[in-house]
Amino acid sequence: MKRFLFLSMLVFIAFMIWVSVHEKEDDMPLPQKLERAMRLTSMMEYQDDDYDYVVRYPSFFEQTDDSLMDKGCCRFSFWQDSTEIVQTAFVEPNTDSLTISQAMEKYASQLHATQQQMGNDFFILTGALHTDSGEISGRRYYAKFVQHRKLWFVQTLAYPEDCEEAVKRLKKEIETWKVW
């Protein structure tokens, strides 16, 4: 009988510890939950039928129906508790035949970029999101432009600044993105 009571007490204590650990996980702020989910999730691949490029995105992001968007465009998003993260890819004509440095200067000015990085056939811009009326408080973007002939292949990520750690994996995916 004493053994039964002792074992019952140990099982009860173990159960209470398990419950308290899982309860704390639910109390975590959304950016921390999202960071954990991003580390553990598998990445899906989207292949564009029009331009044949591939984009990798987290499996828990929702894809917007292609029929709602322009040719060569795709959009994946996550929305919960007023936290929205949007990953897009699109193709834009290089009608002015801009070089990498000229295009980087042009788009950095238009997008109010605070950081710029240039490669052989691409450039990356980061900064606060803006609208026509000014900066959107607490929102950031990360964008890579890849030049191919008379086209710019662009992949962007828009996210809340408190999710900076959570989107590190996505930013790395965009940074290493090869169009072909």
Side-chain angles (χ1 to χ4, degrees), residues 24-82:
K24 286 181 183 177
E25 193 171 293
D26 289 341
D27 291 341
M28 286 177 21
L30 183 59
Q32 288 178 343
K33 288 181 189 177
L34 191 56
E35 180 180 353
R36 183 171 186 256
M38 288 282 201
R39 272 196 326 266
L40 301 175
T41 193
S42 59
M43 298 298 278
M44 305 290 286
E45 285 190 353
Y46 167 86
Q47 181 158 3
D48 182 73
D49 295 332
D50 299 313
Y51 292 97
D52 203 34
Y53 65 82
V54 174
V55 172
R56 292 172 42 94
Y57 64 95
S59 60
F60 61 90
F61 275 37
E62 292 183 24
Q63 181 180 353
T64 302
D65 185 15
D66 291 349
S67 64
L68 302 175
M69 298 180 293
D70 295 333
K71 180 181 172 183
C73 185
C74 61
R75 182 179 196 263
F76 311 94
S77 59
F78 168 81
W79 178 275
Q80 184 177 337
D81 300 339
S82 74

Side-chain angles (χ1 to χ4, degrees), residues 10-28:
L10 282 178
V11 169
F12 177 74
I13 291 171
F15 177 74
M16 293 306 292
I17 290 171
W18 182 80
V19 166
S20 68
V21 166
H22 286 285
E23 201 172 285
K24 286 181 183 177
E25 193 171 293
D26 289 341
D27 291 341
M28 286 177 21

Side-chain angles (χ1 to χ4, degrees), residues 106-174:
K106 172 187 173 183
Y107 289 110
S109 174
Q110 287 178 358
L111 298 172
H112 306 280
T114 54
Q115 294 179 332
Q116 305 169 23
Q117 175 187 344
M118 187 168 59
N120 290 336
D121 65 345
F122 72 91
F123 61 92
I124 297 173
L125 302 175
T126 60
L129 273 178
H130 285 75
T131 62
D132 292 339
S133 57
E135 183 177 326
I136 301 173
S137 180
R139 299 280 299 164
R140 306 216 23 96
Y141 75 89
Y142 187 84
K144 182 174 184 177
F145 293 72
V146 180
Q147 183 181 38
H148 183 70
R149 298 183 185 152
K150 294 275 187 180
L151 298 173
W152 290 109
F153 288 80
V154 184
Q155 191 175 169
T156 65
L157 181 66
Y159 58 93
E161 64 186 1
D162 65 346
C163 291
E164 188 77 40
E165 286 297 312
V167 298
K168 271 187 174 181
R169 183 177 180 191
L170 277 177
K171 288 169 71 173
K172 187 69 171 170
E173 286 286 337
I174 293 171

